[in-house]
Amino acid sequence: MSQFLEISGLCAQIDADGQEKQILRGVDLSIPPGEVHVIMGPNGSGKSTLSYVLAGREDYEVTAGTATFHGQDLLAMEPEERAAAGLFLAFQSPIELPGVNNANFLRTAVNAVRRARGQEELDAVAFLKMAREAAKALSMAPDMLKRNVNVGFSGGEKKRNEVLQMTLLQPTFAILDETDSGLDVDALRIVAEGVNRLRAPTFSALVITHHQKLLDYLVPDRIHVMARGRIILSGGPELARQIDQEGYTKFLAEVA
Amino acid sequence: MPAVTQTREAVEKLGQSTYKWGFETDIEMDMAPKGLNEDIIRLISSRKEEPEWMLEWRLAAYKTWQAMQEPKWAKVAYPPIDYQDAHYYAAPRKKPGPKSLDEVDPELLRTYEKLGIPLHEQALLAGVEVPEGERMPVAVDAVFDSVSVATTFRKTLEEAGVIFCPISEAVKEHPDLVRKYLGTVVPAGDNFFSALNSAVFTDGSFVYVPKGVRCPMELSTYFRINARNTGQFERTLIVVEEGASVSYLEGCTAPMRDENQLHAAVVELVAMDDASIKYSTVQNWYPGDENGRGGIYNFVTKRGACRGARSKISWTQVETGSAITWKYPSCILQGEGSVGEFYSVAVTNNHQQADTGTKMIHLGRNTRSTIIAKTISAGRSDSTYRGLVRVQPKASGARNFTQCDSLLIGDQCGAHTVPYIESRNMNARIEHEATTSKISEDQLFYCRQRGLSEEDAVGLIVNGFCRDVLKELPMEFAVEAQKLLQISLEGSVG
């Protein structure tokens, strides 16, 4: 069976004030279906860039390498096509949409991907029922569906709102970019449970995090360490604990 | 700079979306020769079988106009207009006074069908009653080029004592009312375009709501310019007596033409004690093509007088069309405790220019006004909010709140805010807030990551930006306006 997500030799740069800046320098990564993989690594190592490039953010220019998703050339697809194909990115800093009602946004998004996936669109009543149940499972206040998307949300509310969107959009591959940052212990557990509910033989996730705490709840299959735009080390769940105790310096020195 | 390149490409694509109301209707027209002089005015007056006083009023206005100069202070640029090179009267040739649907030219009805006018009302024109409670009824007056062709629901309105008819008819059938109020809010000599309108106006709507009556339905007028080289000069007069109220909607379209066409309307509103008038406009005149060729010059004077205590006038406008918009719906807050409101969304794209805003003149004590203006500029367009808040010495306790927000799409458009604030009373409280923003790449990417197409994402963000104004529109209009916003900005990114 061909790999679910296959990234090979991926290089990407960004144009920063007229200067091209290389950020990804040959990322190799494959994630089989049903697995949760974790990327750890020091700040500035390219973790968020990898998530943006996979989701199709146009500020980044892919200069070499490939990425396939379900055997399709991911890099040739528009961001919304990737979403319809089942890719979801939980943003590190969720974006505010002033004046746009959260429930309306969610329904528009859900129906857009349902349409693209050949599924029937949901009417307002069916959608609201589904959204309310999902929000309740994430211990979100009911009024969050009525508020404007992420406007005036606390850090924790924004992260939960990301997980709510993920739940409703039913992706087969989710990237969580530091979804645990800024969450208290209870919120962390609720978010982790939200991810765990999606776990299935057909669902994979790539979790970017700095903290072991989230991994206690998520129980990942593989840990990858990223530095200077490359995956420099991969291992089992014990690697995360080791990093948590000893820091990155030792690992970086070893590969240097 | 992928982001900037993308936006620029987007802007270039902007013009490619076609104006969906650009059809022309082939109807036999009764047209006056080109040019403007006393004879033409006499011709208009006689075609409309007007009483002598009306003709004299027009001729006086014409004299005033001749002595006036076209205003140049607005931030709009256009080649000189040759006022002699237009037809000042064009009417569908037909039997006078269509009293039933059968008498209306079927071509004309097809035109309105294309416009999406709730043609349901056609049945009413034909005298067929619609079961009660099927939907919120809207009475429609349709003005085609210069002439009002069909007014619906008149019987129901008459029973409530409401007069809703073409102004040309009101001049003949309710001369006392018309004479009493016409030109009292916008005098003929108020400005160049109001003087021109007063001399040559051919039709428009007249509404009179008697004391204590809440108008039982929304009133609506659809304006369409059809004939080539014609100007449209409609005149609307709405008088609402003590304790009465009305909600009035106005929609406008025109076919696509290479040359520019002039539209200079005058709207006057009068609200007595405790009366309220809600006036909503969705303006979608032809904006010209992507190179700025053609389109309507929309030079409009709209003003409401809150004459009575606690009266209220509320203007809501969604302006997406016209090559040039020059329009400042205003309120004269004379009655004690009267309220003026102005909610505006102005969208400009390609080479469109808009200079629009409002005037709130506080004369009475404890008068209040609210201004919410949302400006969206795309392409190479230029948009200006120009607003005056004036508090006169006797207006103790007057309050105003103004918020002007501009949203830019692309990097070749402009947005300007020109507020004039004059307070002659120490007790007045005036607040002004203004913001300028762009649709960010972050917002677009966020929406697209969730599966929305770029166009849907822009539509969603723009509608969110305009929400405070759109929620002021009557329900049916709000849906139409949302769609219109999306269509106007189609292809504006990506």
Side-chain angles (χ1 to χ4, degrees), chain B residues 116-133:
Chain B
I117 292 180
L119 273 191
H120 188 92
E121 277 81 45
Q122 277 190 29
L124 276 120
L125 266 171
V128 184
E129 284 297 331
V130 167
E132 280 292 315

Side-chain angles (χ1 to χ4, degrees), chain B residues 254-308:
Chain B
M256 300 165 74
R257 300 244 182 249
D258 283 347
E259 70 272 22
N260 297 99
Q261 284 176 285
L262 180 63
H263 172 250
V266 171
V267 175
E268 296 178 280
L269 313 181
V270 178
M272 308 312 264
D273 284 357
D274 299 294
S276 106
I277 303 175
K278 185 175 175 62
Y279 194 104
S280 312
T281 303
V282 172
Q283 185 263 110
N284 184 33
W285 296 120
Y286 178 52
D289 67 11
E290 67 273 18
N291 299 314
R293 209 168 41 233
I296 303 291
Y297 290 166
N298 191 31
F299 299 130
V300 172
T301 307
K302 291 186 171 178
R303 195 174 301 157
C306 284
R307 294 213 175 131

Side-chain angles (χ1 to χ4, degrees), chain A residues 1-239:
Chain A
M1 179 179 176
S2 78
Q3 286 291 31
F4 177 81
L5 180 79
E6 190 77 58
I7 302 166
S8 170
L10 190 63
C11 294
Q13 63 185 25
I14 192 165
D15 183 304
D17 300 322
Q19 290 257 314
E20 282 161 4
K21 195 177 164 207
Q22 190 81 23
I23 298 179
L24 300 184
R25 300 160 187 268
V27 175
D28 296 310
L29 179 66
S30 63
I31 301 178
E35 292 196 358
V36 170
H37 286 213
V38 172
I39 291 194
M40 304 180 88
N43 292 331
S45 56
K47 304 184 298 293
S48 289
T49 298
L50 178 63
S51 66
Y52 278 144
V53 169
L54 292 179
R57 175 123 199 181
E58 280 152 357
D59 307 20
Y60 298 92
E61 189 192 343
V62 174
T63 51
T66 58
T68 58
F69 182 50
H70 292 294
Q72 281 180 282
D73 180 4
L74 190 64
L75 302 178
M77 295 158 80
E78 295 291 336
E80 58 269 34
E81 292 170 343
R82 301 181 200 203
L87 186 148
F88 181 88
L89 169 63
F91 282 57
Q92 189 179 340
S93 312
I95 308 299
E96 298 184 359
L97 302 175
V100 180
N101 173 278
N102 205 19
N104 184 30
F105 173 68
L106 283 166
R107 186 159 87 94
T108 310
V110 166
N111 280 335
V113 299
R114 287 182 76 95
R115 219 166 30 239
R117 292 172 188 167
Q119 295 167 312
E120 207 178 312
E121 293 186 34
L122 295 177
D123 64 36
V125 177
F127 171 79
L128 263 182
K129 188 166 177 284
M130 192 173 96
R132 283 204 189 107
E133 278 165 18
K136 202 176 159 205
L138 291 165
S139 305
M140 290 168 74
D143 79 323
M144 279 181 65
L145 287 170
K146 292 181 196 156
R147 284 158 65 183
N148 294 338
V149 181
N150 294 326
V151 178
F153 284 27
S154 71
E157 285 175 329
K158 283 184 180 173
K159 296 300 172 78
R160 279 184 222 199
N161 200 33
E162 293 293 286
V163 178
L164 174 67
Q165 294 180 34
M166 179 171 74
T167 307
L168 295 173
L169 288 167
Q170 301 176 327
T172 53
F173 176 56
I175 307 168
L176 291 101
D177 188 359
E178 297 197 20
T179 303
D180 55 339
S181 66
L183 293 187
D184 61 36
V185 185
D186 294 328
L188 193 69
R189 190 174 43 79
I190 290 163
V191 164
E193 282 168 1
V195 178
N196 281 333
R197 269 195 293 275
L198 290 174
R199 289 184 82 157
T202 50
F203 173 81
S204 301
L206 182 63
V207 178
I208 297 170
T209 183
H210 284 295
H211 306 292
Q212 172 61 31
K213 201 90 214 147
L214 178 66
L215 306 182
D216 289 345
Y217 296 112
L218 275 185
V219 195
D221 296 287
R222 288 292 281 172
I223 309 288
H224 308 277
V225 177
M226 195 166 181
R228 294 186 290 273
R230 252 195 294 265
I231 305 280
I232 55 161
L233 188 66
S234 300
E238 71 286 351
L239 183 57

Side-chain angles (χ1 to χ4, degrees), chain A residues 15 52 55-58 78-80 83 87-89 91 95-96 98-100 105 109 112 150 162 165 169, chain B residues 1-3 6 440-454 456 460-461 463-465 467:
Chain A
D15 183 304
Y52 278 144
R57 175 123 199 181
E58 280 152 357
E78 295 291 336
E80 58 269 34
L87 186 148
F88 181 88
L89 169 63
F91 282 57
I95 308 299
E96 298 184 359
V100 180
F105 173 68
N150 294 326
E162 293 293 286
Q165 294 180 34
L169 288 167
Chain B
M1 327 251 267
Q6 185 200 352
S440 75
E441 295 291 329
D442 281 338
Q443 289 175 325
L444 284 178
F445 178 62
Y446 190 67
C447 293
R448 293 178 75 190
Q449 206 305 300
R450 299 305 184 242
L452 271 66
S453 69
E454 203 153 23
D456 287 348
L460 199 72
I461 293 165
N463 274 305
F465 175 75
R467 205 184 64 98

